[in-house]
Each structure stands twice: as C-alpha cells, then as structure tokens.
Amino acid sequence: MSTALKGAAMGTANVIPGVSGGTIALITGIFERLINAIKSFDIKALKLLLSGQFKAFASHIDLAFLISLFFGVGAAIISLAKLFEYLFEHYPIFIWAFFFGLVIASIYFVGKTVEKWSISSIISLLVGTGAAVAISVLSPASENASFFYLIICGVVAICSMILPGLSGSFVLILMGNYQLVMIKAVSEFNLKILFPVAIGAGVGLVAFSHILSWLLKKFHNQTIAMLTGFITGSLGILWPWKEPITEQFGEKIKTIGFDYYTPQMDGEFYFAIFFIILGIVSIASTEIIANKKA
C-alpha cells in the first residue's frame, strides 16, 4: 500500500505540466530502488523467465514493488487527470503555488541526503541547476522523422521521465517531435514512427538505469547534488505567476513556455502564499513521519 501511494504521487506528477515523476520518486525515497529494479531487466532475468523459474525471476526484478508502484501510477493518472485539468483551468495560480511549495521543500530534503558537500558536489549542483534552466528556456527544434533521430528521441524522452526535474513530453517538444510522436503516431498507431521510438525508450531506460545506479554507488554525493540541481532548475516552470505560451499541435494545444510576471499584493497573492506554505508543510510532515517510522 505504501509503495502504491508513492506510485500515485508519481502518477500525479505526470499529469502536472513541468513536474517529473522522477522528482517524486526522489522525494519519497524510492528513486534508487526504482532504478535498480529497472536495471534488473538483464540477461539473468531473461534466463530465469525462459527456464520457468518465475519465483526467482520475480525476486530478481523486484516484481512486487514494480506492480504496486505502477498500479498507483496508473490509478492516479486515470483518477486525477480530470481533476487537475479543472484546477489548472479555474485556479491555476493556487495549484502552481502548492506545487512550487512542494518542490522548494524537496530541494532541502533531497539535498540534505548528500553526506558531504565537497567542491565536486557543489559543482554538480550548479551543473544540474544550469542544465534544467537551460532546457526550460530552449526553443523547440523542427520536426525530424529520420529513423536514428526517432531512436534518440525515445532515449532522451524516457530518460527525462525518470530524471528528477525534467518532463519527457517537454523534451520531445524541444526536440521538435512532440506532434509527430505523441499526436500523429499514437493516434494513427503508426509503427514506422513508434517502432524506433520504442527501441530508443527500451534501450535508453535499461542503459540509463545502469548508469544512474553506477553513479549513485560510485559518486553518491555528486549524483544526488546534481539531481537536487535538476529539481532546483525546475522551479522556474512552477512559478505561480505566469501566462502560458501555447502552440497548436494538430488538434491539441500544448504549452511550450511561459511569460512570467510580478504578482500584485492582493487577496489572491496571499492565498497563493498560503498554498506555497501548505506545500512546504506537506513535504516536511511527510519527512518527519518517515523519520519517526525509521
């Protein structure tokens, strides 16, 4: 149940523009376990499955954890998509303010897991922050349907979905292929487009999970510091006072950027501050409860 609830939190993040499910995984303390579970889909897992050793296969890939987690992810996406659509339409500043508070608190609680802040850790933090900020302000590229570029799109998109602070769909927009992949190919079930993207996603997910797992073991402090930087860099996307810059993708309108403005000191502003504080308190309370249980 605990894992399913954390999955639900990740699923919730997936329906929030600019928020990464990887950020929630990092906040809730399951990021490393998720990466290790994904990277366990290897030759050994295939041999166990083909030889009929299903119990050993399930243990090797942490199947119970993955089922519980993705059940929560799916349930949240199905149940909350309409709710968030309504909230973003009618109360955008308040909902953005709440998420802004969540991420502010998460920067502290994720950052404090760095055991020692050395020069290399600080540099990693700055690099992560700079990379996230740079990605968030880039202009979209032009559409490219070449086979190898579609593979790269699959690799980058799937990696960004598990990397804290980055949104997979947003990265596809930056690469110029959001409409081609997520709108045209999915709606028409165009395997000529989806197949190379799927290859990239599958290979990228397993390979990237191995890389992240290795980095967390060998350079734990620097890796967590860089991930903290990615989360910090995503704050700009979550700033409550902004107007979306949209672009038409077929029949759908997608946000490709934001026009930020300074808030006025009125009743709405103070309500937004309340929701920012509520977001901070929510993460802080979760951390305190988790520490007491530990």
Side-chain angles (χ1 to χ4, degrees):
M1 182 59 70
S2 174
T3 302
L5 289 174
K6 292 174 181 179
M10 290 181 64
T12 301
N14 288 329
V15 297
I16 303 169
V19 182
S20 167
T23 297
I24 304 300
L26 199 58
I27 294 170
T28 55
I30 60 171
F31 183 74
E32 292 190 45
R33 185 176 180 182
L34 174 60
I35 294 302
N36 289 328
I38 294 171
K39 77 161 190 170
S40 66
F41 285 85
D42 51 16
I43 298 299
K44 181 179 178 180
L46 183 62
K47 289 181 179 178
L48 290 171
L49 182 62
L50 294 177
S51 63
Q53 301 180 56
F54 300 116
K55 188 174 181 180
F57 170 76
S59 176
H60 178 69
I61 66 170
D62 205 356
L63 184 61
F65 166 75
L66 289 176
I67 290 176
S68 299
L69 184 71
F70 286 106
F71 172 81
V73 170
I77 291 174
I78 293 171
S79 60
L80 293 176
K82 288 296 182 182
L83 172 62
F84 278 110
E85 183 180 5
Y86 174 83
L87 290 175
F88 276 116
E89 182 178 351
H90 294 89
Y91 306 101
I93 290 179
F94 298 150
I95 195 72
W96 281 120
F98 179 69
F99 296 134
F100 191 77
L102 288 178
V103 174
I104 286 177
S106 72
I107 291 170
Y108 168 74
F109 286 110
V110 172
K112 79 170 190 174
T113 62
V114 176
E115 297 168 357
K116 183 181 180 182
W117 282 96
S118 61
I119 296 297
S120 59
S121 298
I122 294 173
I123 292 174
S124 298
L125 173 71
L126 296 175
V127 169
T129 303
V133 170
I135 290 173
S136 68
V137 300
L138 287 174
S139 298
S142 57
E143 187 174 287
N144 188 334
S146 69
F147 185 84
F148 290 107
Y149 188 73
L150 288 170
I151 290 178
I152 295 172
C153 286
V155 172
V156 175
I158 200 67
C159 290
S160 66
M161 286 178 185
I162 62 172
L163 192 62
L166 296 180
S167 166
S169 61
F170 186 69
V171 170
L172 278 177
I173 289 175
L174 293 178
M175 297 183 74
N177 273 0
Y178 176 80
Q179 181 182 4
L180 178 66
V181 176
M182 300 299 291
I183 305 298
K184 294 180 181 177
V186 172
S187 62
E188 299 170 3
F189 199 64
N190 187 340
L191 292 178
K192 185 178 179 181
I193 300 297
L194 294 177
F195 182 65
V197 173
I199 292 176
V203 173
L205 187 61
V206 175
F208 191 62
S209 64
H210 278 82
I211 294 170
L212 266 182
S213 179
W214 180 80
L215 288 172
L216 286 167
K217 288 179 180 178
K218 298 292 185 180
F219 307 99
H220 182 271
N221 291 335
Q222 293 86 346
T223 303
I224 295 297
M226 183 170 288
L227 295 179
T228 303
F230 275 122
I231 299 174
T232 304
S234 70
L235 280 176
I237 299 175
L238 299 173
W239 177 252
W241 296 277
K242 59 183 179 292
E243 292 292 336
I245 301 171
T246 59
E247 186 171 320
Q248 189 81 26
F249 291 98
E251 298 179 354
K252 294 189 177 182
I253 297 176
K254 188 72 176 178
T255 298
I256 62 171
F258 296 98
D259 184 16
Y260 300 92
Y261 62 89
T262 304
Q264 295 182 347
M265 301 296 180
D266 51 15
E268 185 181 65
F269 170 77
Y270 293 111
F271 267 114
I273 295 299
F274 167 77
F275 281 106
I276 290 176
I277 295 172
L278 183 62
I280 294 172
V281 171
S282 298
I283 293 295
S285 300
T286 303
E287 181 73 13
I288 291 170
I289 293 170
N291 287 337
K292 285 185 177 180
K293 288 183 177 181

